[in-house]
């Protein structure tokens, strides 16, 4: 007696295979790269340039985290 099962993945549901691990690693890498790029670019600005943007030097890491999260979410 043979038994067959058909499983289909529904878009938006979590999968727990090797490919999902790879996709999660890629997303984390992209998010980290965007974070580092944002920190580096904002760190190069003078205090006056940051003030023109409405930022203070102490806000750079938080702004970079937010930018990286929004970039990968959208």
């Amino acid at each position: 007696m043979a038994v067959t099962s058909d499983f289909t993945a529904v878009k938006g549901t979590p999968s727990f295979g090797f490919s999902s691990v790879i996709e999660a690693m890629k997303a984390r890498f992209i998010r980290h790269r965007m974070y580092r790029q944002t920190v580096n670019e904002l760190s190069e600005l003078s205090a006056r340039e940051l003030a023109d943007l409405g930022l203070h030097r102490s806000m750079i890491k938080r702004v970079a985290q937010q930018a990286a999260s929004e970039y990968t979410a959208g």
Side-chain angles (χ1 to χ4, degrees):
M1 180 168 160
V3 176
T4 62
S5 298
D6 290 329
F7 293 101
T8 57
V10 177
K11 187 174 183 177
T13 60
S15 60
F16 301 103
F18 183 70
S19 62
S20 65
V21 172
I22 297 298
E23 289 301 316
M25 289 173 59
K26 282 184 358 182
R28 185 174 178 175
F29 176 76
I30 290 169
R31 193 169 38 250
H32 180 71
R33 187 174 55 188
M34 177 60 74
Y35 169 80
R36 288 301 324 153
Q37 180 181 358
T38 306
V39 167
N40 290 339
E41 290 178 7
L42 290 176
S43 295
E44 291 176 359
L45 298 177
S46 68
R48 181 170 180 117
E49 292 169 324
L50 286 171
D52 287 344
L53 295 172
L55 300 174
H56 185 270
R57 196 157 302 278
S58 65
M59 299 168 67
I60 290 176
K61 289 183 180 179
R62 185 168 18 113
V63 169
Q65 286 176 336
Q66 183 179 1
S69 294
E70 290 175 1
Y71 180 79
T72 55

